[in-house]
């Protein structure tokens, strides 16, 4: 695998598959969504092994530590070897989704729910929130 001594941050983020294109990685740097020690960095910033970056991509925020330099884009299984994801558990999407109520969707074209349907929906929601409160009380 080709490793390089000097590598731009936008090219690195593209190569490890955090961004779909290098342009998107560069734009994220310009917009201040890529930080090193809480400071915005330019797309031309030189990546060094051992540095820790905070990358924001939409609602997702990831903290990565560079473990190797990768110049060209490779498949996802190999790309994971070149960085260490040290994102705190509280910031992961899976952790955040635990606290959201279930979203009930109805099939399109079925019309408004009947009184009976509405009661069933309310019972489902009440059961969900009662379980969450009981878990909170037992802690």
């Amino acid at each position: 695998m080709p490793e390089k001594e000097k590598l731009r941050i936008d090219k690195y983020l593209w190569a490890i598959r955090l961004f779909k294109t290098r342009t998107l990685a560069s734009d994220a740097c310009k917009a201040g969504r890529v930080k090193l020690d809480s400071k915005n960095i330019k797309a031309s910033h030189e990546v060094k092994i051992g540095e820790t970056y905070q990358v924001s991509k939409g609602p997702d925020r990831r903290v990565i530590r560079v473990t190797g330099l990768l110049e060209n884009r490779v498949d996802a299984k190999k790309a994971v070897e070149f960085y260490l994801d040290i994102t705190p558990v509280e910031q992961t999407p899976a952790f955040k989704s635990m606290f959201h109520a279930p979203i009930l969707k109805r099939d399109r074209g079925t019309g408004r729910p009947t009184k009976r349907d509405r009661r069933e929906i309310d019972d489902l929601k009440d059961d969900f929130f009662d379980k969450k409160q009981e878990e909170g009380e037992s802690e």
Side-chain angles (χ1 to χ4, degrees):
M1 287 188 205
E3 287 197 27
K4 199 174 180 185
E5 294 175 11
K6 293 184 180 181
L7 187 63
R8 292 170 52 109
I9 185 71
D10 61 339
K11 193 168 186 177
Y12 177 75
L13 293 174
W14 165 77
I16 63 169
R17 297 182 160 270
L18 283 185
F19 290 95
K20 190 173 184 178
T21 65
R22 191 168 163 191
T23 304
L24 289 174
S26 178
D27 291 343
C29 292
K30 288 178 190 173
R33 291 189 220 110
V34 180
K35 299 177 185 286
L36 172 67
D37 299 325
S38 303
K39 296 178 185 172
N40 295 341
I41 56 174
K42 294 182 178 181
S44 61
H45 173 80
E46 241 178 66
V47 179
K48 296 176 186 81
I49 294 177
E51 288 182 329
T52 303
Y53 297 98
Q54 296 89 23
V55 181
S56 299
K57 185 178 171 188
D60 296 338
R61 305 209 187 309
R62 297 179 80 179
V63 180
I64 61 166
R65 180 171 293 136
V66 180
T67 57
L69 301 180
L70 182 62
E71 183 179 1
N72 296 325
R73 193 170 171 100
V74 294
D75 61 299
K77 290 179 183 176
K78 291 181 185 174
V80 174
E81 299 170 5
F82 291 90
Y83 70 94
L84 181 63
D85 191 355
I86 55 173
T87 306
V89 176
E90 299 84 29
Q91 293 182 0
T92 58
F95 183 80
K96 290 179 184 177
S97 68
M98 280 193 323
F99 299 105
H100 295 296
I103 298 172
L104 301 172
K105 292 188 178 183
R106 293 178 50 85
D107 294 331
R108 187 178 175 111
T110 57
R112 293 176 57 178
T114 62
K115 194 175 210 178
R116 182 178 180 186
D117 292 340
R118 185 68 198 166
R119 287 180 180 152
E120 290 174 358
I121 292 169
D122 288 341
D123 288 342
L124 282 174
K125 286 183 178 179
D126 290 340
D127 289 344
F128 176 80
F129 287 113
D130 288 342
K131 287 180 186 175
K132 287 290 183 183
Q133 288 176 354
E134 289 172 5
E135 290 173 3
E137 292 172 2
S138 63
E139 290 178 3

